[in-house]
Amino acid sequence: MADTKGARTSARLVESMLELIQTRGYSGTGLNTVVAHASAPKGSLYFHFPGGKEALGEKAVELAAERFRTIVAAEGTPGQVIRRVLDALARLLEEGDFQLGCPVSVVTLEMGAESDRLRAACADAFESWVAPLAVHLVAHGRADGEARSLATATVSMIEGAVIMSRAQRSVTPLRCAADALVPLLDGP
């Protein structure tokens, strides 16, 4: 995307939507709040996102997916990569006083049954995390089917650990997930 005033405004709106979903949930995030948080003119919201809140939510999910993919794409053994992912998530939770959650899981839980567009965006986001992890596992000697299954289970465990960590206001569930996943991913 070109670095224009419009592109910057659009990016601010998406970033604001993402941050607000993490702290307030999708349903608890109103468009007026997003516009104020982004310091954007109200008219720019519908100019950039004619589909309204649903379109903006979809872009926020895509941004969250891309950020997580960047972490998963790191070098090292699969266990080392997942340890870094879980350490990064633990830091995020602690620095955010356990107020920030995974926006993809939040949108899935709140809107998955109500909006096919948002459900599909969330499914794509999860797939964008599973697929590169499966490729990484294959590159480290796992068979395709086993790698896919293990990658899916890994992402599922990470999502559950984030939710439990928020509920307990402790990163212990993330640490336990790392302790279980690292040997499993780096095993035979």
Side-chain angles (χ1 to χ4, degrees):
M1 182 181 279
D3 187 27
T4 64
K5 182 179 177 184
R8 288 188 301 272
T9 299
S10 176
R12 277 197 330 271
L13 287 164
V14 172
E15 180 68 41
S16 289
M17 183 68 168
L18 177 59
E19 289 177 23
L20 291 166
I21 288 172
Q22 286 182 288
T23 57
R24 299 177 181 203
Y26 179 85
S27 298
T29 299
L31 291 179
N32 288 335
T33 305
V34 174
V35 168
H37 188 270
S39 299
K42 187 162 185 170
S44 65
L45 177 70
Y46 288 103
F47 176 78
H48 293 290
F49 303 98
K53 183 177 180 180
E54 198 174 32
L56 185 57
E58 180 181 31
K59 291 297 181 190
V61 165
E62 290 171 5
L63 178 60
E66 181 165 329
R67 287 182 176 168
F68 191 80
R69 260 192 321 274
T70 301
I71 299 171
V72 172
E75 294 294 320
T77 69
Q80 290 168 336
V81 170
I82 292 307
R83 172 86 59 196
R84 281 194 298 270
V85 166
L86 290 164
D87 287 345
L89 290 171
R91 276 191 307 278
L92 177 76
L93 285 172
E94 288 177 323
E95 290 169 4
D97 193 31
F98 296 92
Q99 300 302 307
L100 302 177
C102 174
V104 179
S105 63
V106 168
V107 173
T108 300
L109 292 170
E110 289 185 21
M111 299 304 296
E114 294 180 35
S115 168
D116 210 37
R117 180 179 189 169
L118 290 172
R119 184 208 49 77
C122 292
D124 289 346
F126 288 128
E127 176 58 24
S128 78
W129 303 340
V130 169
L133 181 54
V135 168
H136 197 61
L137 287 162
V138 168
H140 283 83
R142 300 291 180 131
D144 286 339
E146 178 190 15
R148 176 75 188 179
S149 179
L150 194 49
T152 301
T154 298
V155 171
S156 299
M157 185 183 282
I158 291 169
E159 285 296 313
V162 168
I163 291 167
M164 288 182 66
S165 289
R166 285 187 74 194
Q168 296 174 8
R169 296 187 57 78
S170 165
V171 295
T172 299
L174 285 166
R175 301 291 182 225
C176 290
D179 292 344
L181 286 169
V182 169
L184 180 65
L185 294 173
D186 285 344

